[in-house]
Amino acid sequence: MLAVFEKLSLAAGSAIMRIFHEGCAVDAKADASPVTEADRLAEQLILAGLREIYPDVPCVAEEEASAGILPTSLGEAFFLIDPLDGTKEFVKRGNDFTVNIALIRHGIPEVGVVFAPCSGTLYSGRPGRAEAAEVDASLGVVARRAITVRPAASPLAVVASRSHRTAETDDYIATLGPTEIVSIGSSLKFCLLAEAVADIYPRFGRTMEWDTAAGDAVLRAAGGSTSTLDGAPLTYGKRNQAHDADFANPFFIAKGR
């Protein structure tokens, strides 16, 4: 399955980069967030591949969900897809956007890949092992290395969102003592923890499950954790929430060791 995820993420990344270089129109969804041809095409490629190989596994994907297309039942396992995480970065011609594909089993992100097309870095995670791979221009993986979280450094390296920093986040960071801030976009925040570049990622702002699942899978495979503010593991497949939309996450804190 991980090999399938990698192949599909690379194909989606190739399509995204073609559009990135050619340029495209930017539309607004109902929630006013941006969407482009790159989002839609990448999602189509990923869903076609997953549904051909795993026809019985439900898929929850960002653009389909925005259009109201969702499986009636998730079962014990389902896929979560964000075809272009960091669309705002993409539109601004930034580099921190990713392709995210994850398998959720019993509410836990079990397998995931995060591909950053601009840097050619592919992160992957499965139970017991996380890796970072280097991808060349022809979409071939030319090198792999195992990654694992690190013990907390001093000062703590705190990952903060580049586009969604909140006052609550700043208040929390102030309680941590000496820190250095690392700003980066998309699900790469989880990957910095997983590859021992940073220590903690507090998110006091809105996210959806497709934003976090793949990066969370990589982080957990590398020995890290993602918890809600009460210390419980962040879970996936949240529907019929009393105070929020389906698949919306609560605030959370992701950590290395």
Side-chain angles (χ1 to χ4, degrees):
M1 181 176 288
L2 191 57
V4 171
F5 283 11
E6 290 187 355
K7 180 180 178 180
L8 292 174
S9 70
L10 293 173
S14 177
I16 288 168
M17 291 308 295
R18 175 181 58 78
I19 297 169
F20 182 75
H21 292 304
E22 292 176 355
C24 64
V26 181
D27 301 320
K29 293 190 281 191
D31 63 359
S33 62
V35 62
T36 70
E37 178 190 354
D39 299 81
R40 299 185 182 103
L41 179 56
E43 183 166 296
Q44 291 168 8
L45 289 170
I46 294 167
L47 289 176
L50 291 176
R51 286 169 173 160
E52 178 182 4
I53 299 169
Y54 305 104
D56 297 325
V57 180
C59 295
V60 176
E62 180 178 13
E63 304 314 326
E64 281 199 345
S66 295
I69 302 170
L70 289 166
T72 55
S73 173
L74 299 178
E76 68 174 31
F78 68 98
F79 296 126
L80 265 172
I81 301 102
D82 190 341
L84 177 49
D85 183 29
T87 301
K88 290 181 180 179
E89 284 288 316
F90 176 87
V91 170
K92 292 188 297 185
R93 313 295 294 172
N95 296 326
D96 297 340
F97 52 84
T98 58
V99 179
N100 297 346
I101 308 172
L103 170 73
I104 309 299
R105 192 184 303 277
H106 300 300
I108 304 301
E110 187 172 280
V111 181
V113 298
V114 174
F115 177 45
C118 283
S119 68
T121 305
L122 174 67
Y123 297 94
S124 64
R126 56 181 172 79
R129 185 172 178 84
E131 294 182 339
E134 180 183 341
V135 177
D136 63 18
S138 63
L139 298 184
V141 174
V142 294
R144 290 184 184 270
R145 57 185 173 88
I147 56 175
T148 185
V149 296
R150 70 187 186 187
S154 182
L156 281 175
V158 181
V159 183
S161 174
R162 182 170 287 165
S163 303
H164 304 282
R165 187 84 165 261
T166 64
E168 293 94 335
T169 302
D170 291 337
D171 290 343
Y172 177 80
I173 292 172
T175 71
L176 298 176
T179 60
E180 65 175 21
I181 305 300
V182 181
S183 292
I184 197 167
S186 74
S187 54
L188 292 171
K189 292 182 281 291
F190 289 96
C191 299
L192 291 187
L193 302 181
E195 64 175 339
V197 173
D199 302 296
I200 187 167
Y201 164 36
R203 184 58 181 249
F204 292 77
R206 184 174 177 81
T207 59
M208 302 300 289
E209 292 184 9
W210 45 78
D211 297 319
T212 62
D216 194 1
V218 173
L219 175 60
R220 297 190 199 200
S225 63
T226 304
S227 304
T228 58
L229 300 188
D230 61 5
L234 181 65
T235 59
Y236 292 80
K238 300 180 290 294
R239 305 184 92 169
N240 302 312
Q241 302 190 86
H243 303 294
D244 212 334
D246 287 0
F247 305 105
N249 286 324
F251 296 166
F252 62 82
I253 299 172
K255 297 179 180 180
R257 186 169 303 137

